[in-house]
Amino acid sequence: MLRKSSERLKGDREVLLDLDTRAEAQSTESYGSLQNGSFIPPRYVNFVLVWEIRSRRKRRSERRKAQLAQWREKFVQNLESVGLVMEKETANEKKTIHFLKISAPWDVLVCYAEELCLRAPLQHLDLNTSARVLSKLCIPNVMTESVPNRPLDYYTCAFRKSKMSRFLGWEDQDTYFTNTQRHLLFQVYEILARTAYGKRKKAEVGVDRLLNEGAYTAAFPLHEGPFQLPKHEVKPDELNQRQVLYYYWARWCKWYKYQPLDHIREYFGEKIALYFAWLGFYTAWLLPAAVVGTLVFVSGVIMSVNREEICNSGASYTMCPLCKTCKAWNMSEICTLTKLGYLFDHPGTVFFSVFMSFWAVTFLEYWKRKMATLAHHWDCMDFHEEEERPRPEFAAMAPTMEQNPVTGVKEPYFPEKTRLSRMFTGSMVIIMMVRLFKIFYILIHAFNFLTQAGTIANISSSIVNLGLILLMGQVYTALAEQLTKWEMHRTQTQYDNAFIFKVFIFQFVNFYSSPFYVAFFKGRFVGYPTNYGTLFGMRNEDCGAGGCLIELAQQLFIIMVGKQLINNVQEFILPKVKAWRQKRTLAKVLGGKASHEPRRWEEDYKLVECEGLFEEYLEMVLQFGFITIFVAAFPLAPLFALLNNWVEIRLDAHKFVCEYRRPVAERAQNIGVWFNILEALSHLSVIANAFLIAFTSDFLPRLLYQYKFDNDLNGYVNFTLAYAPLNYTEYPMCRYKAFRDNNGNYTLFYWELLAVRLGFIIAFEHVVFFVLRAIDWIVPDVPESLELKMKRERYLAKQALAENQEALLVSRARAAAAATPGTSSPGQ
């Protein structure tokens, strides 16, 4: 809020103020252009609107072209009527690309800041951002770094124009509102979003709908100069905000440094800053999970060395064929697979499953505390979205107009009954697609099983499955988008929540169907020799020679790590390809060299439009599911997630700073519906891991055998193998893995084991959920220190905004005395 002003800034302010006094005398055709060669300084350009006029238009589009021009002219007239200053420029002599630069004078900003309840500084507050744990332990912190021009923290209260003198820095009108706050006032509130360009009865309002109709091709705030560092040496304090973010955040060499969250918030707004805060917090919490997971994996390596019973069995155990075209095989052939399987199937994985269940819930509880701290620090704890406007697409397609019960203004209306029927139909489509995908996936697995069995088949099917997942992900997203549009949600928040829910359901089934199938269904309905189970005339798929758990680990490794690698390559290459196409398209439109050197608004127009945070959140939420739901089968998942996220932070930072147009700043106090999805996944992970340990792992069968027969597991392998029935003549007396007698009936040990498994699931879930509820109760959502700051802030706000408090108290005392003349006290 408080910045040092120079003579150059003062000169620019005089230009803008002079510009403001002359704006009224300008015609609408000039769009507020300055005369005598003057211009709006780039630092005062709050917003830029762009439209293109292409040549060789067909005659039938002339009417549409005239209508768009009329809308633009009306829109500009209405913007001028609220006091905005505008200037129109063209990119070349052919006048094919037009830029409308918009700036808001001080009086306009003050007016809308009060209506928006923007918070303003009252008193400086020192905020300790060093790593307290390392500081207390006196350990040097290599992750901290001094970033120049760090925004200060203040006690704040709602802005009031009448109390201007009570706020810090009110004297300097140039720097009182940051550029991000100016963008917020422009886009989120009345100025651009609620200015009409046609008939209000037809909801012809706002720049969003003009963009949707094609009147404008782009609307964006300007970046604060180039991101490249100057060639000559400059002091760090002299860098612009974009250069500071690039040098201290977006570069790859800063991978181990703390993120400058205050700088990110000041430049991009709270919504984007909260995403990077959550991503950094999540990545930091992955570190202990990755360490423990790696130790559990290493302990499995050590314990697997002593597993020699199968390796030394020779030809003792002749196993029945695993598929129709397979041959009999000896148990000793899978010695290596058995050792590999024990890396993921040993008592340590049970401990790690419990640990990760506690980790997930504790992480979410402490994120709520972090989120509350950031919301207060960034002055958006009390932020509540105003009554939202109808979406442009909704306004264009709604069949009728009805009065809004909140605002009393007539708005586009879509019958609620029709919407509910469409939502029900969309839900049926989702269920059908989910079932079709499951059947399709099972058939692919069955085909692979019939044609080949073994490790090569499992790996090849996992790779094919990954390709199918990525392909179907695009199909599902497109389908979800069309279904959500068809449902005709009124506001953008309703639309976003419905779209996020659909895409997540689709992607949940898309990514997790394969691991769920291998973990809980594959090999469960195989039957036994002479009585194999079938589906559509094909023999049901059995687990490979090494067991289902090692197949699940292979699936998780290929799907999770493969997806991360492909996504990172896409995030690195696609923005550059899009930027190259954008520049190539603009070069064709311009038809040659520009008439002058590119200016800031022209350079920004060549950048790629910001695509939002949906894909970023979705990628991380799906990753969170992999490291929690199936962690018992793949303890290295947190490690690979940690490595990926270190790369992801820098990729996203580079995109936002260097390759995207500057997004419009948006306020937010949390990460929205994504937090609810994370909570659901954390609870699902407890149930999934309980079933995984009970039914997929060999932990409980080994434990029960130790309790009943031999503590050293002597003879365990032979005990787990059943003999084929006597009428199985293809390979007489071959063995298969099951607790059955010679007639194919389940043994007593099977039923005892089933009871132990069910008991383990009940005990595991109850103990873990009880501890989770205890953690939720013990850890408060708002830290005690933050509550103290909030009380202090409320006290300062009352002091600052009180209307002649002392005079008011005196007048009340006098009024009370005048109301009771001659009244004696009870003691007299």
Side-chain angles (χ1 to χ4, degrees):
M1 285 291 181
L2 294 174
R3 297 178 182 172
K4 295 181 179 180
S5 60
S6 62
E7 293 298 327
R8 180 181 174 187
L9 281 174
K10 291 180 180 179
D12 287 340
R13 189 181 77 171
E14 291 173 0
V15 172
L16 182 58
L17 294 177
D18 180 60
L19 177 154
D20 182 31
T21 59
R22 291 180 293 177
E24 297 178 359
Q26 294 165 3
S27 65
T28 57
E29 294 179 355
S30 66
Y31 294 95
S33 303
L34 295 181
Q35 300 174 1
N36 302 325
S38 301
F39 65 98
I40 302 179
R43 64 172 49 84
Y44 293 116
V45 177
N46 302 127
F47 226 81
V48 176
L49 302 179
V50 187
W51 71 96
E52 299 179 9
I53 299 178
R54 303 291 181 90
S55 58
R56 297 180 182 178
R57 292 272 187 174
K58 294 182 180 180
R59 290 184 179 179
R60 64 182 179 182
S61 65
E62 289 298 325
R63 180 179 298 178
R64 178 65 174 172
K65 182 178 176 182
Q67 185 183 41
L68 296 179
Q70 183 181 359
W71 283 348
R72 284 193 296 266
E73 183 177 354
K74 181 66 174 177
F75 188 65
V76 169
Q77 288 177 355
N78 291 334
L79 290 178
E80 285 185 332
S81 66
V82 298
L84 298 186
V85 181
M86 286 161 285
E87 179 184 16
K88 177 186 171 186
E89 291 199 15
T90 56
N92 63 350
E93 296 177 354
K94 294 184 178 181
K95 298 183 179 181
T96 52
I97 301 180
H98 301 266
F99 297 91
L100 182 65
K101 300 181 294 179
I102 310 176
S103 179
W106 169 256
D107 292 338
V108 175
L109 293 175
V110 168
C111 175
Y112 285 107
E114 184 167 355
E115 293 190 40
L116 188 58
C117 294
L118 205 66
R119 300 186 70 85
L122 290 170
Q123 190 181 93
H124 176 63
L125 169 67
D126 290 325
L127 185 70
N128 182 15
T129 58
S130 61
R132 296 177 183 176
V133 176
L134 295 178
S135 178
K136 289 180 180 179
L137 297 175
C138 300
I139 299 176
N141 190 356
V142 297
M143 295 179 289
T144 189
E145 185 176 22
S146 178
V147 182
N149 302 326
R150 180 182 166 219
L152 299 177
D153 192 26
Y154 299 92
Y155 290 114
T156 63
C157 71
F159 180 82
R160 292 291 182 270
K161 184 178 179 180
S162 59
K163 301 296 179 182
M164 181 72 68
S165 59
R166 306 283 181 93
F167 297 113
L168 295 178
W170 67 275
E171 305 92 347
D172 193 347
Q173 298 179 1
D174 293 332
T175 59
Y176 187 77
F177 294 110
T178 66
N179 281 336
T180 302
Q181 288 175 327
R182 293 169 184 261
H183 305 159
L184 183 72
L185 295 173
F186 258 85
Q187 182 69 6
V188 176
Y189 208 55
E190 303 245 9
I191 303 181
L192 288 183
R194 297 192 178 183
T195 300
Y197 62 86
K199 296 181 180 179
R200 287 190 177 271
K201 292 182 178 180
K202 295 183 178 180
E204 294 175 341
V205 177
V207 70
D208 288 335
R209 188 166 177 189
L210 282 172
L211 287 167
N212 190 58
E213 295 286 353
Y216 293 109
T217 56
F220 53 88
L222 290 181
H223 277 294
E224 297 190 10
F227 69 87
Q228 298 91 343
L229 298 180
K231 295 181 180 179
H232 59 280
E233 187 175 352
V234 296
K235 296 179 181 180
D237 292 344
E238 296 177 359
L239 298 174
N240 63 48
Q241 285 185 315
R242 193 181 184 193
Q243 290 170 337
V244 168
L245 288 175
Y246 172 73
Y247 186 80
Y248 291 94
W249 179 46
R251 295 195 303 158
W252 289 99
C253 61
K254 301 294 181 180
W255 65 271
Y256 63 97
K257 297 293 185 181
Y258 292 133
Q259 296 186 92
L261 294 178
D262 287 335
H263 293 74
I264 299 170
R265 177 252 180 171
E266 186 179 28
Y267 195 76
F268 292 112
E270 289 84 4
K271 191 170 186 178
I272 291 176
L274 273 173
Y275 163 72
F276 283 105
W278 175 81
L279 182 57
F281 189 81
Y282 169 50
T283 304
W285 272 70
L286 279 174
L287 186 59
V291 171
V292 175
T294 304
L295 292 177
V296 169
F297 181 79
V298 171
S299 67
V301 174
I302 297 173
M303 285 187 283
S304 68
V305 175
N306 300 321
R307 307 294 298 174
E308 300 295 335
E309 184 178 359
I310 293 177
C311 298
N312 298 332
S313 62
S316 302
Y317 306 118
T318 302
M319 306 298 293
C320 298
L322 292 174
C323 64
K324 245 182 180 180
T325 58
C326 301
K327 296 181 179 179
W329 50 285
N330 291 321
M331 177 70 82
S332 59
E333 296 175 7
I334 62 168
C335 172
T336 304
L337 281 177
T338 303
K339 290 183 177 181
L340 288 175
Y342 204 73
L343 299 178
F344 309 100
D345 189 5
H346 59 88
T349 57
V350 180
F351 159 76
F352 192 51
S353 299
V354 178
F355 172 82
M356 286 303 295
S357 297
F358 294 155
W359 174 92
V361 175
T362 308
F363 157 69
L364 293 177
E365 287 299 318
Y366 275 90
W367 166 246
K368 283 194 285 190
R369 291 165 59 88
K370 178 72 171 179
M371 192 162 53
T373 303
L374 288 175
H376 177 265
H377 177 48
W378 291 339
D379 301 321
C380 54
M381 175 164 277
D382 298 327
F383 166 71
H384 298 286
E385 293 185 1
E386 300 292 330
E387 176 65 19
E388 284 192 77
R389 303 172 303 279
R391 294 186 307 116
E393 294 85 354
F394 177 85
M397 299 176 63
T400 61
M401 301 286 291
E402 294 285 343
Q403 190 175 24
N404 188 312
V406 177
T407 63
V409 179
K410 280 199 171 184
E411 290 182 351
Y413 177 77
F414 190 80
E416 191 67 24
K417 196 173 183 180
T418 307
R419 179 186 291 110
L420 290 176
S421 65
R422 290 189 177 189
M423 292 175 66
F424 177 77
T425 305
S427 301
M428 294 300 102
V429 172
I430 293 174
I431 294 173
M432 287 177 57
M433 289 295 295
V434 167
R435 290 183 175 179
L436 285 175
F437 180 79
K438 284 184 177 180
I439 295 173
F440 184 57
Y441 176 77
I442 292 173
L443 290 176
I444 289 178
H445 260 266
F447 177 76
N448 281 318
F449 176 69
L450 289 174
T451 54
Q452 52 182 341
T455 306
I456 297 177
N458 296 329
I459 295 175
S460 62
S461 65
S462 298
I463 295 174
V464 171
N465 184 42
L466 175 61
L468 181 64
I469 285 172
L470 296 176
L471 176 62
M472 294 303 294
Q474 300 298 321
V475 175
Y476 285 155
T477 302
L479 178 60
E481 184 177 5
Q482 294 303 317
L483 286 175
T484 310
K485 286 181 179 179
W486 183 60
E487 290 172 357
M488 290 290 289
H489 294 279
R490 176 182 170 273
T491 66
Q492 191 63 41
T493 299
Q494 294 170 349
Y495 176 88
D496 290 342
N497 290 341
F499 179 66
I500 289 172
F501 176 75
K502 287 183 181 64
V503 173
F504 177 74
I505 293 296
F506 278 143
Q507 297 290 39
F508 182 90
V509 175
N510 192 22
F511 278 93
Y512 300 146
S513 285
S514 173
F516 265 105
Y517 170 74
V518 175
F520 303 119
F521 297 100
K522 188 175 181 180
R524 305 295 172 196
F525 311 103
V526 177
Y528 55 92
T530 69
N531 189 27
Y532 285 115
T534 59
L535 178 66
F536 301 121
M538 297 183 294
R539 176 177 163 181
N540 290 339
E541 188 178 16
D542 198 357
C543 294
C548 281
L549 202 66
I550 191 170
E551 289 187 32
L552 179 59
Q554 291 173 355
Q555 286 267 358
L556 293 172
F557 175 79
I558 291 174
I559 294 175
M560 178 182 172
V561 179
K563 174 184 176 295
Q564 291 180 166
L565 289 174
I566 293 173
N567 281 349
N568 287 336
V569 171
Q570 287 179 338
E571 289 190 33
F572 181 77
I573 295 177
L574 287 183
K576 292 177 171 52
V577 173
K578 290 180 180 178
W580 173 78
R581 291 179 60 187
Q582 173 81 350
K583 292 178 181 178
R584 185 180 178 186
T585 303
L586 289 178
K588 290 182 179 179
V589 173
L590 295 174
K593 295 184 179 179
S595 57
H596 49 73
E597 288 296 321
R599 290 163 292 194
R600 181 75 268 144
W601 43 90
E602 296 171 4
E603 290 290 337
D604 285 5
Y605 186 53
K606 295 177 183 178
L607 299 177
V608 181
E609 183 179 2
C610 180
E611 298 176 348
L613 298 171
F614 171 76
E615 291 292 341
E616 315 299 338
Y617 272 120
L618 180 63
E619 180 183 355
M620 291 298 105
V621 167
L622 290 173
Q623 181 197 90
F624 183 82
F626 276 114
I627 69 170
T628 54
I629 296 176
F630 304 105
V631 73
F634 191 40
L636 290 179
L639 176 62
F640 286 109
L642 176 65
L643 298 175
N644 172 79
N645 288 6
W646 274 334
V647 176
E648 182 73 23
I649 290 175
R650 303 305 149 189
L651 280 175
D652 289 346
H654 191 271
K655 282 192 304 184
F656 276 93
V657 174
C658 306
E659 295 169 350
Y660 282 166
R661 295 173 191 161
R662 188 175 184 178
V664 177
E666 294 184 60
R667 301 183 73 192
Q669 60 180 173
N670 51 49
I671 61 175
V673 71
W674 296 110
F675 184 82
N676 300 328
I677 294 176
L678 291 171
E679 278 193 318
L681 287 176
S682 67
H683 288 83
L684 177 62
S685 68
V686 177
I687 301 172
N689 281 295
F691 275 88
L692 198 62
I693 295 169
F695 286 96
T696 308
S697 168
D698 276 343
F699 171 73
L700 291 181
R702 285 196 295 262
L703 196 65
L704 185 59
Y705 184 86
Q706 286 177 310
Y707 175 76
K708 291 194 66 175
F709 301 107
D710 190 285
N711 193 49
D712 296 327
L713 292 175
N714 294 318
Y716 173 74
V717 174
N718 182 58
F719 183 77
T720 60
L721 300 178
Y723 284 97
L726 298 176
N727 57 352
Y728 184 66
T729 58
E730 193 171 349
Y731 293 96
M733 299 301 291
C734 67
R735 312 290 294 272
Y736 64 99
K737 193 171 182 179
F739 296 108
R740 294 177 183 268
D741 58 22
N742 292 341
N743 296 321
N745 300 317
Y746 286 118
T747 63
L748 177 63
F749 186 86
Y750 170 83
W751 298 109
E752 293 174 341
L753 179 60
L754 181 61
V756 170
R757 283 170 166 168
L758 296 176
F760 173 82
I761 291 173
I762 295 172
F764 183 91
E765 290 178 358
H766 279 68
V767 170
V768 172
F769 279 128
F770 174 79
V771 176
L772 298 185
R773 295 284 73 78
I775 294 174
D776 189 12
W777 179 72
I778 292 171
V779 180
D781 293 346
V782 179
E784 185 178 353
S785 60
L786 178 58
E787 289 184 351
L788 182 62
K789 290 179 184 177
M790 293 168 62
K791 291 178 181 178
R792 172 66 177 168
E793 189 171 67
R794 285 194 291 267
Y795 170 77
L796 290 174
K798 289 179 180 179
Q799 295 294 317
L801 300 182
E803 289 283 356
N804 301 322
Q805 188 175 13
E806 294 182 1
L808 182 62
L809 292 175
V810 172
S811 63
R812 285 181 178 176
R814 290 177 179 176
T820 56
T823 304
S824 60
S825 63
Q828 292 178 343

